[in-house]
Amino acid sequence: MLRIAVVGCGIGGLAAAGFLHRAGLAVTVYEQARELRTVGAGLMVAPNAARLLRRLGVLERLRRTAVRLDVGWEFRRWRDGTVLSAEDLTSCEQLYGEHTYTVHRADLLDVLRSCVPAEAIRLGRRCVGVDPCGPLVRFADGAVAEADVVVGADGVHSVLRGPAAVTDSGLCAFRALVPADRAPPFARRPAQTLWIGPGHHLVHYPISAGRLVNVVAVAPARERRAESWTATATVEEFLGEFAGWDDRLGELIRAGGTPGRWALLDRAPLPRWTSGRVTLLGDAAHPMFPFFAQGAAQAIEDAAVLARCLGEGAADPAAALRRYEELRIPRTSRLQAVSHARSHVNHLPDGPEQRARDEALAAGDPLVASGWIYGYDPAA
């Protein structure tokens, strides 16, 4: 039986371990943290991710703390909240077989972890490199782990990928979690709302069975800051970025307390993810801007495809990994590109181009137009 080592215990790493275990393959996950902590905030589970979570057997459990959205991609004008367009997500199941949900990242990690035997997760193992000839995974304490396949699911700063060319996008993201009892009513609806305006946009939606409202906003970076989930800003800085916007947003920002703030750094799609029997997955392979809310979904898709390729190609794992990247790179590269381009569209200053955008939003049906994203099924 193939011995598969997964480096990283985030969404991609746990999803990979879950799908590999389900395929009957021997998998061990190595995580540098000594304990698994609640890190992060909200994310969307679109039909393409929900489909795979159902197949993994965890969707019903996740639904206990998820919020099923009635409305999504509700674009509002920055100054007064005029609705420019909105998707009726109650038709998601008819179109794509699944609904769209919002969840807390910690809740998604919990259900994914339930798919992996406890003894298959090794904490306190910081990977410092891989010897591809073994392959051998090397750890900071001098220990090594032998494997037949190594999967780097160790995030945007991946050790397995190595240094990547990084461009400062000039943008940063603020994030906050607002207790529902402090949030204004417009933010508590089962809706994902995007306020768009000059140089900025702000997204909010409820998570954690409606107990919290997740807020994420993108603004000019002003100065270079850390690409980190733990970096913070001040409420005053956050408010200052949205001065002159609809007053309701100020109320929402103030209710969230100290916000996180991190830089959005740009990385071009990689031409290859695989070297021999070592490959990449999730943010280690294709970090993308959050403007299409597909980062977690693409990591889960990677995991499902990887497990299928290795399950069907166990006799030649190097060939199976090449097949995996052949199937995944075109799709993830396309999503990286459209996510990158969306920052310009969302941040147009008032004027002719902005009015043309608003007319296009009102006339279009983005739920149908995004069928190439939401209808994807690795088993098809």
Side-chain angles (χ1 to χ4, degrees):
M1 182 181 291
L2 283 180
R3 298 166 301 168
I4 303 168
V6 175
V7 178
C9 201
I11 290 170
L14 286 173
F19 277 109
L20 290 164
H21 179 69
R22 185 173 177 269
L25 300 171
V27 58
T28 305
V29 185
Y30 298 96
E31 166 59 38
Q32 65 178 341
R34 297 191 177 277
E35 60 178 330
L36 297 178
R37 294 169 292 175
T38 300
V39 178
L43 56 87
M44 291 185 67
V45 176
N48 55 313
R51 181 177 301 113
L52 297 179
L53 294 174
R54 183 181 298 280
R55 201 161 292 160
L56 198 54
V58 299
L59 182 62
E60 289 307 312
R61 179 177 167 186
L62 184 64
R63 279 162 52 97
R64 298 172 194 167
T65 54
V67 173
R68 176 176 149 179
L69 294 182
D70 293 335
V71 177
W73 303 104
E74 181 185 73
F75 287 93
R76 287 179 176 260
R77 181 162 165 74
W78 66 282
R79 189 182 292 277
D80 58 11
T82 299
V83 176
L84 304 172
S85 72
E87 295 180 16
D88 177 6
L89 296 185
T90 60
S91 61
C92 262
E93 186 175 28
Q94 179 182 354
L95 286 169
Y96 303 119
E98 297 287 354
H99 295 291
T100 296
Y101 305 90
T102 53
V103 302
H104 196 298
R105 182 177 181 271
D107 294 331
L108 178 56
L109 287 171
D110 281 345
V111 300
L112 291 173
R113 191 162 57 244
S114 71
C115 299
V116 184
E119 63 272 16
I121 299 176
R122 310 287 174 82
L123 302 178
R125 293 294 185 89
R126 182 167 68 86
C127 174
V128 294
V130 174
D131 179 352
C133 298
L136 295 173
V137 185
R138 301 190 180 280
F139 301 102
D141 61 2
V144 297
E146 295 185 27
D148 300 301
V149 171
V150 178
V151 180
D154 50 341
V156 71
H157 300 294
S158 172
V159 172
L160 272 73
R161 183 196 59 225
V166 176
T167 303
D168 189 345
S169 70
L171 298 172
C172 72
F174 292 84
R175 64 179 174 89
L177 289 175
V178 182
D181 58 2
R182 295 173 55 188
F186 73 89
R188 299 198 299 263
R189 299 175 304 133
Q192 176 228 19
T193 300
L194 298 92
W195 300 69
I196 55 177
H200 300 68
H201 75 266
L202 185 146
V203 183
H204 57 77
Y205 49 78
I207 60 171
S208 301
R211 295 187 298 273
L212 296 169
V213 174
N214 187 63
V215 179
V216 180
V218 175
R222 309 299 179 192
E223 61 185 82
R224 193 175 183 86
R225 290 184 177 267
E227 191 181 35
S228 166
W229 277 101
T230 58
T232 61
T234 66
V235 174
E236 289 70 26
E237 287 177 302
F238 196 175
L239 286 169
E241 291 294 344
F242 290 88
W245 288 50
D246 190 300
D247 289 342
R248 288 174 291 179
L249 293 184
E251 181 184 358
L252 179 62
I253 290 169
R254 281 188 289 270
T258 300
R261 183 181 183 183
W262 75 99
L264 294 180
L265 302 184
D266 200 9
R267 295 169 176 84
L270 295 174
R272 295 291 305 275
W273 297 352
T274 300
S275 176
R277 287 178 285 147
V278 179
T279 195
L280 302 174
L281 179 150
D283 282 350
H286 48 74
M288 59 185 67
F289 287 170
F291 303 144
F292 270 70
Q294 277 288 308
Q298 292 309 300
I300 295 168
E301 287 184 9
D302 289 347
V305 174
L306 176 69
R308 183 168 185 178
C309 289
L310 286 172
E312 295 175 353
D316 188 348
L321 295 184
R322 289 195 299 272
R323 177 61 175 155
Y324 155 69
E325 73 170 21
E326 288 170 2
L327 290 169
R328 294 299 299 157
I329 285 179
R331 176 169 170 81
T332 58
S333 295
R334 182 181 178 187
L335 272 161
Q336 282 179 285
V338 298
S339 296
H340 184 279
R342 192 72 213 180
S343 62
H344 170 73
V345 176
N346 284 356
H347 296 172
L348 291 172
D350 286 354
E353 194 175 2
Q354 163 262 320
R355 289 192 290 273
R357 176 204 63 196
D358 294 354
E359 290 173 3
L361 285 172
D365 187 344
L367 189 59
V368 172
S370 295
W372 67 277
I373 301 176
Y374 304 145
Y376 175 86
D377 187 345

